[in-house]
Amino acid sequence: MKAICFYFQIHQPFRLKRYRFFDIGNDHYYYDDFANDDIVTRIAHHSYIPAAESLLRMIEESNGAFRCALSITGIALEQLEQYVPEFIDLLKKLADTGKVEFLAETYAHSLSSLADPEEFAAQVKMHDDKIFELFGQRPKVLRNTELIYCDELAPQILSMGYKGVITEGAKHILGWKSPNYVYAAATAPKLKLLLKNSKLSDDISFRFSNPDWDAYPLTADKYIDWIASTPAEEQIINLFMNLETFGELQNRDTGIFQFLEALPRFAKERGIDFWTPSEAVQKLKPVGELSVLHPISWADEARDTSAWLGNKLQQEAFAKLYSVAERVRLCDDRRLKQDWNYLQASDHFFYMATKRMADGAVHSHFSPYETPFQAFTNYMNVLADFIVRVEEQYPLSIENEELNSLLTTIRNQAREIETLNKEVDSMRKNIEHYNEEHLLREKVAAPAAEEKPAKAAKPRKAAAKKTKKA
């Protein structure tokens, strides 16, 4: 039996307003609310809402045979809740079908996995909590930002409780191997890897409406035939793409929605199932281990992280941002922590890219900057103000060794306080229990105490009568 594993990504960053050098120290609000509202609302009505409605119809018309997964960043959910709450309602309907799985990822769509394991774990947990709050699911499979993955990450991902991770089926990693199998992580064999079939995914995302493509026009029956014709032993075809593919990257006029909705019917005719990532991880055994020595992603021909960290501008901004990570984690300022999340979005670093990319047009589609240098200048101005605010709470003059010592002391004190609080709670419960028992004893003893004096009074009365007679 062959199966298709569909997952759709939704992400929107909080775009920054034009922030000038003279704003540093004077203006602590960094975001272009008009642009964020306009872009999110437009894409939701062109793409997200009609696509979600199509997915609902596909599930209903196939009697639940069609299944898929969604990966939605926390900062995208925040904007959708604010600007397009009706789409959140649609997502809840999809969750209620029991046929749509929500994946784990970093809350801020950040590159924290490449710089700060503690921040990476905190963001993934924050995202899991958001998914549970809105949709009642606890994610079991992780999809890291931009499909970034390497051997070094596998043990941490497994220790965080995930059964599988989704990443790119990069040719330089696979070699002669096929992405249409489940693999095990070389450094954590219990962690299963689901690899994107780039060719079949990109046929929909990028080539669907291209009249110069030799396979144009792409129809649902032709596409399912391609999948059915893969070797019989290749059991899982992982198709990963942005939900914006439907209605935004590929216009409604191209017939993209009709193509999508026709897939389950032709798949059924060819005996092809649809599985969620969790089902694929549960049902299939790894055919072998896969080692990924250096971080890979889905972007560019190189399938590496150079789209975000390939030049000195990006590297300087990235290093500057994460230089204050420990200090931000120390503070209790909710506004500061919120800005910290928004400034970590990988989009800010991609806007600084200077290399020519085959798929750059897709990523820069909504870039608010004319040049990478303008993106860098604007971001660094914002970051400068942000760091000033961090320094007000934890001065940068404190050396890292001193800060680490301070952190250790604070954490030890926090653990000690937690232990003492537990002891206080235990003592309080014991006292309450003792008081309850004491009150109960008093209530039981009270009636008995009232009866005893009444019985003792009779002999005294009799004695008094004898005295009178005498």
Side-chain angles (χ1 to χ4, degrees):
M1 178 67 72
K2 196 179 294 291
I4 295 171
C5 180
F6 256 124
Y7 113 75
F8 305 102
Q9 163 73 8
I10 297 175
H11 166 63
Q12 292 295 334
F14 277 89
R15 292 164 181 83
L16 303 176
K17 66 183 181 183
R18 291 294 186 271
Y19 193 89
R20 306 184 187 284
F21 175 79
F22 296 104
D23 293 326
I24 299 171
N26 299 312
D27 181 3
H28 302 322
Y29 191 78
Y30 311 134
Y31 312 105
D32 189 337
D33 291 335
F34 176 81
N36 290 324
D37 185 354
D38 179 62
I39 291 170
V40 170
T41 302
R42 177 170 58 79
I43 293 176
H45 286 96
H46 285 183
S47 171
Y48 297 159
I49 290 175
E53 291 171 342
S54 287
L55 295 177
L56 271 172
R57 281 193 294 272
M58 292 162 73
I59 292 168
E60 291 166 0
E61 292 172 5
S62 67
N63 294 319
F66 176 77
R67 303 172 185 201
C68 66
L70 292 172
S71 186
I72 314 174
T73 62
I75 59 177
L77 285 169
E78 284 188 30
Q79 293 180 77
L80 291 165
E81 285 181 293
Q82 182 176 356
Y83 302 126
V84 201
E86 62 269 31
F87 179 60
I88 297 292
D89 294 335
L90 264 177
L91 292 176
K92 289 179 179 177
K93 287 182 180 179
L94 285 170
D96 290 342
T97 65
K99 308 301 178 184
V100 175
E101 176 181 1
F102 288 84
L103 301 177
E105 67 169 84
T106 57
Y107 188 93
H109 200 65
S110 75
L111 303 173
S112 55
S113 61
L114 300 175
D116 191 329
E118 188 174 346
E119 178 64 24
F120 174 61
Q123 277 207 23
V124 173
K125 183 184 183 303
M126 185 180 179
H127 180 266
D128 276 8
D129 292 342
K130 185 72 171 178
I131 294 297
F132 183 74
E133 174 195 331
L134 289 176
F135 310 117
Q137 290 189 21
R138 284 288 178 188
K140 300 174 184 176
V141 174
L142 175 77
R143 177 246 183 230
N144 192 17
T145 304
E146 310 294 358
L147 298 185
I148 290 172
Y149 172 79
C150 65
D151 287 344
E152 187 178 345
L153 291 175
Q156 182 181 6
I157 294 171
L158 183 65
S159 69
M160 289 159 64
Y162 300 104
K163 306 299 182 186
V165 62
I166 287 172
T167 189
E168 177 67 28
K171 292 179 182 177
H172 70 280
I173 298 298
L174 285 171
W176 56 269
K177 299 174 185 175
S178 168
N180 304 332
Y181 293 99
V182 170
Y183 292 88
T187 52
K190 290 185 178 179
L191 183 70
K192 295 182 180 179
L193 307 180
L194 294 177
L195 307 181
K196 173 185 171 184
N197 186 310
S198 299
K199 194 272 178 191
L200 288 173
S201 297
D202 293 351
D203 284 343
I204 298 176
S205 297
F206 305 130
R207 292 184 278 272
F208 181 81
S209 61
N210 181 6
D212 296 327
W213 181 33
D214 58 5
Y216 180 86
L218 181 59
T219 59
D221 56 338
K222 182 196 295 185
Y223 190 76
I224 292 297
D225 283 345
W226 289 349
I227 292 174
S229 65
T230 57
E233 62 273 15
E234 296 185 359
Q235 295 178 298
I236 188 75
I237 311 296
N238 298 308
L239 303 175
F240 306 152
M241 61 199 71
N242 289 326
L243 194 62
E244 292 170 37
T245 297
F246 305 94
E248 185 68 23
L249 300 179
Q250 302 295 336
N251 246 321
R252 176 183 285 276
D253 298 340
T254 64
I256 189 68
F257 288 105
Q258 291 88 336
F259 167 84
L260 178 64
E261 292 187 36
L263 289 175
R265 178 164 61 87
F266 289 106
K268 183 179 179 181
E269 291 177 2
R270 299 303 300 269
I272 298 173
D273 288 341
F274 290 90
W275 292 349
T276 63
S278 286
E279 289 176 319
V281 165
Q282 183 181 1
K283 293 179 180 181
L284 299 177
K285 293 182 179 180
V287 295
E289 293 184 358
L290 194 67
S291 180
V292 183
L293 297 178
H294 304 288
I296 59 172
S297 76
W298 73 270
D300 200 12
E301 287 298 317
R303 298 292 196 263
D304 57 13
T305 59
S306 59
W308 304 274
L309 298 173
N311 65 42
K312 291 185 178 180
L313 301 179
Q314 296 165 314
Q315 292 160 12
E316 181 179 345
F318 185 72
K320 193 76 172 175
L321 175 67
Y322 283 98
S323 69
V324 296
E326 289 281 11
R327 289 168 170 80
V328 175
R329 281 195 288 273
L330 275 172
C331 79
D332 295 321
D333 188 329
R334 292 180 61 185
R335 176 67 182 279
L336 199 68
K337 285 181 177 292
Q338 184 183 61
D339 290 336
W340 167 248
N341 279 333
Y342 297 170
L343 291 177
Q344 287 186 74
S346 66
D347 309 70
H348 301 308
F349 302 98
F350 188 86
Y351 298 150
M352 303 174 199
T354 52
K355 65 184 289 189
R356 185 180 181 85
M357 297 177 63
D359 46 23
V362 176
H363 271 268
S364 61
H365 190 56
F366 301 115
S367 173
Y369 305 103
E370 294 177 6
T371 68
F373 304 100
Q374 188 184 89
F376 173 76
T377 301
N378 201 69
Y379 183 81
M380 293 304 283
N381 285 342
V382 168
L383 190 57
D385 183 80
F386 176 76
I387 290 175
V388 167
R389 291 164 58 204
V390 173
E391 188 172 8
E392 287 174 356
Q393 300 202 29
Y394 294 96
L396 299 182
S397 57
I398 299 176
E399 296 294 333
N400 284 338
E401 289 183 5
E402 292 180 67
L403 180 62
N404 288 334
S405 176
L406 176 63
L407 284 171
T408 301
T409 302
I410 290 172
R411 285 168 184 157
N412 289 339
Q413 289 176 343
R415 280 193 287 269
E416 188 176 340
I417 290 169
E418 185 180 355
T419 302
L420 290 172
N421 283 336
K422 287 179 180 178
E423 290 178 6
V424 169
D425 288 339
S426 178
M427 291 174 66
R428 186 181 291 115
K429 287 176 182 177
N430 289 337
I431 292 170
E432 290 173 357
H433 185 62
Y434 171 80
N435 289 337
E436 287 174 1
E437 287 186 347
H438 186 66
L439 287 171
L440 185 60
R441 288 195 190 110
E442 286 183 346
K443 287 179 181 178
V444 171
E450 291 173 2
E451 290 174 5
K452 286 178 181 178
K455 291 177 181 178
K458 289 181 181 178
R460 290 195 194 100
K461 195 172 183 182
K465 285 180 180 179
K466 287 178 182 180
T467 306
K468 282 183 181 180
K469 285 179 181 180

